[in-house]
Amino acid sequence: MKQNSLFSLSLLGVVSLCTITTAETAFAAPPSGCATIHSSSEENTPTGLIEHDLSVSTPNGATDLHVKKLLLSAPTSSAAATQDLAHAASLLLVSAMTGLHNGACTQWLMEQGQQVAASLKAGGHYDLTWSNATITHGMAHVAVATARYQMQGASATHASTATLSMNGLSFHNVANQQLLPSAARATFSLPTSELPALMSAIGGRSTAAPAVHATISNFEASEGRIHLQGQGQATLTGNVAATSASGHLAITNLEDLIEKARTAHQMKLAAGLVLGRLVSHRSGEQNTWDTTWEGGVLTVNGFPLPIK
């Protein structure tokens, strides 16, 4: 599990999930060497597909996703297509949360992404919810009570708008887990045509370093009394270090975050937050900044604060 700060995991990990999308045509099964996917039972209802006890495992068994219940509403052409879509989206959830890349998935995800883009450009709308999900990656465990992803395409602008929310996040054997959020939500838009290459990069091993240019209308992450909120622009890739963002950031109860960093012995982060506090604007319990994030460095009003 990658070692990320609260800001970087929340912004990158959450927003990167924008690539978990849908298509109107049937997905092919993942190739051998990519993943093993199965569920205990499926139901096709008027509201969509319901899968119970869905499992996604890497070939070596070191990484696994288990979802107690998955619900997908999508205008696919058949029940089989809807099921294939749910499996592909769940594979991308594992990749986005763990930073896992598998070369055997690269071309398959690119092909699915091309179908995704065609569907969204036609104005498709999709709604996907994972309930009681657990991801195991080596000794690390991440639990998510509910993750919900909604996306709407637009034929006129060739852009897609999306909302991703994650609640009940908890971590075990994850570096700096005291600094990670228990809930996060992002609302954003991005060019539909850029999705296939990003999907391939996140779950596979792309050498093209593709990028998606997202406009974030609202981003929130919270842990206890600490609350982050922001908006701006972001360039997303399959690589944490290659992601960048700029915009406005606000933190409520910054003192609590500084104390958490000290308790976790992240003294570089704590010092950076103290310096950031000095150049912030203060209103009640909230500190605000105009910020940029690039290469693991948060720049505040022109002042660089390395928080890798």
Side-chain angles (χ1 to χ4, degrees), residues 168-298:
L169 283 160
S170 61
F171 306 88
H172 181 65
N173 286 335
V174 175
N176 305 323
Q177 60 194 44
Q178 305 97 316
L179 302 174
L180 302 180
S182 58
R185 178 182 175 87
T187 303
F188 48 93
S189 61
L190 63 166
T192 307
S193 61
E194 294 182 348
L195 285 172
L198 182 60
M199 290 173 62
S200 179
I202 287 178
R205 289 188 177 276
S206 172
T207 59
V212 165
H213 302 87
T215 298
I216 305 165
S217 56
N218 186 56
F219 164 76
E220 299 178 67
S222 60
E223 168 55 34
R225 289 173 8 105
I226 304 167
H227 184 80
L228 279 73
Q229 186 173 20
Q231 62 275 335
Q233 308 288 325
T235 300
L236 309 173
T237 74
N239 181 353
V240 175
T243 292
S244 62
S246 63
H248 184 75
L249 175 68
I251 300 180
T252 303
N253 295 314
L254 176 61
E255 297 298 332
D256 288 13
L257 180 57
I258 293 172
E259 185 57 34
K260 279 181 173 286
R262 288 171 174 160
T263 301
H265 304 293
Q266 295 297 308
M267 304 313 294
K268 190 175 183 180
L269 171 59
L273 291 171
V274 169
L275 291 173
R277 180 181 59 189
L278 295 175
V279 297
S280 70
H281 299 288
R282 181 70 181 267
S283 176
E285 296 299 319
Q286 191 175 79
N287 295 77
T288 63
W289 305 265
D290 291 318
T291 64
T292 62
W293 167 263
E294 188 170 6
V297 176
L298 176 64

Side-chain angles (χ1 to χ4, degrees), residues 64-134:
D64 177 78
L65 164 70
H66 181 265
V67 181
K68 191 66 177 177
K69 182 179 179 181
L70 180 150
L71 174 61
L72 171 61
S73 176
T76 52
S77 57
S78 67
T82 306
Q83 184 182 62
D84 289 340
L85 167 60
H87 292 175
S90 298
L91 174 61
L92 283 174
L93 175 64
V94 176
S95 297
M97 292 294 289
T98 65
L100 182 68
H101 301 280
N102 184 344
C105 303
T106 305
Q107 185 59 35
W108 177 66
L109 288 172
M110 176 66 76
E111 292 168 355
Q112 313 323 313
Q114 291 166 354
Q115 298 182 59
V116 166
S119 177
L120 290 172
K121 286 177 181 178
H125 176 264
Y126 308 93
D127 194 338
L128 176 63
T129 300
W130 295 271
S131 298
N132 297 319
T134 303

